[in-house]
Amino acid sequence: MTRNAEDATPGHTAGDRRKPVTELPPAGDPIGVRTQHDSPADELPPDLHQAILEAAKQVGAVLKRGGHDFALAGSVAVHAHGGAGNLQHDADFCIKPEDAEAVAATLDEAGLTVYAPPEDWLLKAKCLGQDIDLIFELAHQPVNAELLGRASELPVDSVQMPVLAPTDLMRALLAAFSEHHCDFGAVLPIARLLREKIDWEAVRRDSGDAPMPAAFLYLLERLQVIAPKGGDR
């Protein structure tokens, strides 16, 4: 399975103006025109947290209207599950790799800027001046219908949309740990917040013997956030 969906989308004709993923410009040369969805930074709400929420709502609404399978991920998904921290970076959406071309076309037609970064496991977009990541690989595995099927419909501010399940969110966070990126302090509050909603035995099983996730899980045990392996908290 190719992760950047290079095959043409069924139903496209020679006159179709949609751009396949392989024709999207690389980072630094974004396509699209500025519309109400992609306005200058000085027209954004002064609150970055609210600006990211507004961008997530816009993209989620466009994907819903387009009939695409997707799930909100990352920090905005944590917020939708009840997280209280301020959003500081971007909004992430999971899509299946085979849907990447159609999703890019839908966003392009809505006037959003879409481009292909050097990484081959996601697309990037701009909405309301905010960064949007369209991810088709999560926790080192291609996004599939099973993952998206576990998502729950939750309100994101005022827009209902599918949001990645807490167990899948934690899997993704732990899979991102490495010797060069191991910020336990950022993930610890999320683990505390979602601990009752997460299948920790599934997280342990999927993390295998990777040292960084194992160290984080041990920290959670010592802090009595979760029970020791095989025990009751």
Side-chain angles (χ1 to χ4, degrees):
M1 177 186 296
T2 58
R3 290 182 291 173
N4 52 358
E6 295 181 354
D7 293 337
T9 299
H12 281 203
T13 64
D16 197 330
R17 73 178 185 84
R18 295 181 178 181
K19 303 175 181 65
V21 170
T22 50
E23 293 182 11
L24 290 175
D29 186 22
I31 64 173
V33 295
R34 180 167 289 149
T35 69
Q36 61 178 347
H37 299 296
D38 187 16
S39 35
D42 57 8
E43 295 179 11
L44 289 172
D47 181 356
L48 178 60
H49 173 89
Q50 191 60 38
I52 294 171
L53 275 181
E54 291 296 327
K57 288 161 55 179
Q58 292 278 6
V59 172
V62 169
L63 294 179
K64 284 174 64 177
R65 287 196 300 270
H68 297 291
D69 291 331
F70 73 95
L72 183 67
S75 59
V76 187
V78 174
H79 173 82
H81 280 292
N86 285 328
L87 304 174
Q88 297 292 327
H89 300 293
D90 54 18
D92 301 319
F93 291 84
C94 288
I95 60 173
K96 292 179 290 187
E98 61 267 28
D99 294 342
E101 180 183 331
V103 167
T106 295
L107 296 179
D108 183 35
E109 288 175 354
L112 275 65
T113 301
V114 184
Y115 61 96
E119 298 85 358
D120 64 355
W121 49 271
L122 82 165
L123 295 177
K124 286 185 173 287
K126 281 284 187 179
C127 180
L128 292 171
Q130 303 304 309
D131 291 322
I132 306 293
D133 285 355
L134 302 157
I135 301 165
F136 28 94
E137 182 179 287
L138 192 72
H140 312 303
Q141 297 293 328
V143 173
N144 57 29
E146 182 181 357
L147 175 75
L148 299 182
R150 291 194 294 267
S152 301
E153 287 282 335
L154 295 175
V156 178
D157 211 1
S158 59
V159 176
Q160 291 279 138
M161 68 180 73
V163 178
L164 211 62
T167 299
D168 292 317
L169 283 169
M170 188 54 56
R171 281 192 186 102
L173 289 169
L174 268 60
F177 286 153
S178 70
E179 292 182 4
H180 305 289
H181 173 80
C182 194
D183 187 358
F184 287 179
V187 182
L188 179 57
I190 300 172
R192 288 185 185 277
L193 170 75
L194 301 178
R195 60 186 176 184
E196 302 298 335
K197 301 178 180 180
I198 293 171
D199 183 343
W200 290 105
E201 289 307 310
V203 171
R204 283 191 174 98
R205 182 181 64 248
D206 294 341
S207 298
D209 59 356
M212 299 304 176
F216 182 72
L217 292 169
Y218 177 68
L219 175 64
L220 294 184
E221 292 175 6
R222 291 298 304 271
L223 294 174
Q224 299 185 337
V225 175
I226 63 175
K229 185 175 181 179
D232 297 322
R233 182 175 163 273

